[in-house]
Amino acid sequence: MNISFHSPTAQLKQWLNRLVAVTLKEIFAIQVIAAVLVSVLLSDLAGFDYPGWAALSSYAVMNTSVKASTVRAFNRVTGTVLGGVLALLLSTYLIQDAAFLVLFCAIVGGVAVWRADVSRWSYSWVLGAVTSMMVMAEAQKNSEFRHLLRFTFNRIEEVVLGCAVCIAITVLFYPLNRRRQVATPQQNSHPEPPRRPLLPLQAGITLLLVTPILLVFQLTGFWQAMVSVLAVFILPASTQPVQQQVSQRMQQRLYGCMAATLLSLILLPVMHHYPPVYIATLVAGLWLGCHLQQGKPSISYFGRQFTVAWIIVYIQESLWLTEPIQAVMRSVSILIAIIIIGMVMAVFRALKLSV
């Protein structure tokens, strides 16, 4: 009679292999969760004012490749610094009249979409445009230069913190990322995007219409609406028709943001500002968003937008004090941007102007 048994060493090795297999499958989500939590913790310990910016930065530049994360982080920091400096230099001339701010946002947004389509520094152009518009929007509330300087510096330090944490986490997970890349090799070939000259014009017109609405109603999510416009019109390389790409990104950004907001509104009342429940809910939402992002290509962008919205909702200026009204107002800003984009695209189609 043969009796088979596993030695404790073999059982431990088998258990470790299973753990590594699960970790490899969810490594991106684990990195994002770690980077977001560490960014928020360090931002809070340092006494920074906008921990959500650090959290968004750590997520936005996250990649399982150290090189890719570093390059993206460099672009994000560079664009943020240059955009903030540009806004400060022009603030004296633009804060006197809201009409100039509207024109400024339209021009900067249009230029960012144009350069993002042809430049290898596309991410820097995007962050430069977003930061400059954020500073100019803040100037409508408080035009004192010292306040704007501090606001801009706060923006830069939060972005630098989030990017630094992201790179550190990516380096820490390098052995597992390396093993995953060997197990599932990536294809690096991407089609070259065609020139899309009407996209900058469409983005500029959209911002020309969106900005006055946000200013009149003083919506909290001003910058999120600006980001929505740029995110929809800055397209990756693809063989799909441009109109189809824009429509898909509009829908997935809208659905992702709305799903995160509606789910958070259900969960927020039961949190009672209790930190353990807050952290558990934040982590669960981050994992779900990253899982969707790493899934089928048809829902990948939806998952990314869900994650972005989840961070915006749960990481506000005061930790543990997530206010539902803030989530609603930011979602309304995004909704307004998507509606205006749809109207602009419809007019272009009616005029038979193809991109």
Side-chain angles (χ1 to χ4, degrees), residues 80 137 158:
T80 300
E158 296 277 14

Side-chain angles (χ1 to χ4, degrees), residues 229-309:
V229 175
L230 298 180
V232 168
F233 283 112
I234 296 177
L235 305 177
S238 174
T239 56
Q240 285 184 314
V242 173
Q243 295 286 347
Q244 184 179 350
Q245 280 187 277
V246 172
S247 297
Q248 288 179 352
R249 290 173 80 85
M250 283 173 55
Q251 294 172 10
Q252 293 195 25
R253 182 168 181 83
L254 177 62
Y255 297 157
C257 292
M258 292 301 108
T261 301
L262 292 176
L263 183 58
S264 67
L265 291 178
I266 296 173
L267 296 174
L268 286 175
V270 302
M271 287 172 51
H272 300 296
H273 301 158
Y274 189 49
V277 178
Y278 172 99
I279 294 175
T281 306
L282 173 63
V283 168
L286 291 174
W287 176 86
L288 176 59
C290 292
H291 187 72
L292 293 171
Q293 182 180 342
Q294 296 294 298
K296 297 180 180 179
S298 59
I299 62 171
S300 177
Y301 194 66
F302 169 88
R304 184 171 184 83
Q305 300 312 309
F306 178 93
T307 309
V308 169

Side-chain angles (χ1 to χ4, degrees), residues 15-308:
W15 182 83
L16 288 175
N17 288 334
R18 290 178 179 176
L19 178 62
V20 170
V22 173
T23 304
L24 290 176
K25 185 178 179 181
E26 301 294 342
I27 192 168
F28 180 76
I30 295 172
Q31 286 185 200
V32 168
I33 291 169
V36 168
L37 292 180
V38 172
S39 296
V40 172
L41 176 63
L42 293 180
S43 177
D44 187 52
L45 290 175
F48 292 168
D49 297 326
Y50 306 97
W53 291 348
L56 279 173
S57 295
S58 64
Y59 168 67
V61 303
M62 178 61 70
N63 193 287
T64 53
S65 164
V66 176
K67 180 180 178 181
S69 292
T70 303
V71 170
R72 195 164 174 82
F74 178 79
N75 275 266
R76 189 175 183 93
V77 172
T78 301
T80 300
V81 172
L82 295 179
V85 171
L86 173 65
L88 288 174
L89 292 175
L90 297 178
S91 61
T92 305
Y93 304 99
L94 296 177
I95 60 178
Q96 304 300 327
D97 192 337
F100 287 106
L101 173 61
V102 173
L103 186 61
F104 173 81
C105 290
I107 294 175
V108 168
V111 171
V113 172
W114 167 53
R115 295 305 303 168
D117 200 31
V118 299
S119 172
R120 67 188 184 95
W121 301 97
S122 59
Y123 196 49
S124 291
W125 284 96
V126 174
L127 266 296
V130 171
T131 300
S132 62
M133 288 188 281
M134 289 174 63
V135 175
M136 295 310 305
E138 184 67 20
Q140 304 304 307
K141 304 175 185 177
N142 188 337
S143 60
E144 184 182 0
F145 185 79
R146 183 177 297 179
H147 170 78
L148 295 179
L149 183 62
R150 175 170 177 75
F151 178 86
T152 304
F153 184 75
N154 286 343
R155 166 74 176 168
I156 293 172
E157 64 187 3
E158 296 277 14
V159 169
V160 170
L161 171 62
C163 290
V165 170
C166 172
I167 295 173
I169 294 295
T170 308
V171 171
L172 181 64
F173 278 81
Y174 175 78
L176 290 175
N177 282 321
R178 184 66 176 173
R179 183 169 177 175
R180 179 173 181 264
Q181 290 169 2
V182 172
T184 57
Q186 303 291 323
Q187 293 184 353
N188 296 322
S189 59
H190 297 285
E192 282 295 324
R195 291 293 177 260
R196 301 170 283 205
L198 289 184
L199 285 180
L201 178 60
Q202 292 171 334
I205 293 174
T206 302
L207 290 169
L208 202 63
L209 299 174
V210 170
T211 307
I213 298 175
L214 301 176
L215 289 175
V216 169
F217 292 99
Q218 292 293 307
L219 296 180
T220 304
F222 183 97
W223 62 278
Q224 268 303 310
M226 304 293 103
V227 172
S228 295
V229 175
L230 298 180
V232 168
F233 283 112
I234 296 177
L235 305 177
S238 174
T239 56
Q240 285 184 314
V242 173
Q243 295 286 347
Q244 184 179 350
Q245 280 187 277
V246 172
S247 297
Q248 288 179 352
R249 290 173 80 85
M250 283 173 55
Q251 294 172 10
Q252 293 195 25
R253 182 168 181 83
L254 177 62
Y255 297 157
C257 292
M258 292 301 108
T261 301
L262 292 176
L263 183 58
S264 67
L265 291 178
I266 296 173
L267 296 174
L268 286 175
V270 302
M271 287 172 51
H272 300 296
H273 301 158
Y274 189 49
V277 178
Y278 172 99
I279 294 175
T281 306
L282 173 63
V283 168
L286 291 174
W287 176 86
L288 176 59
C290 292
H291 187 72
L292 293 171
Q293 182 180 342
Q294 296 294 298
K296 297 180 180 179
S298 59
I299 62 171
S300 177
Y301 194 66
F302 169 88
R304 184 171 184 83
Q305 300 312 309
F306 178 93
T307 309
V308 169

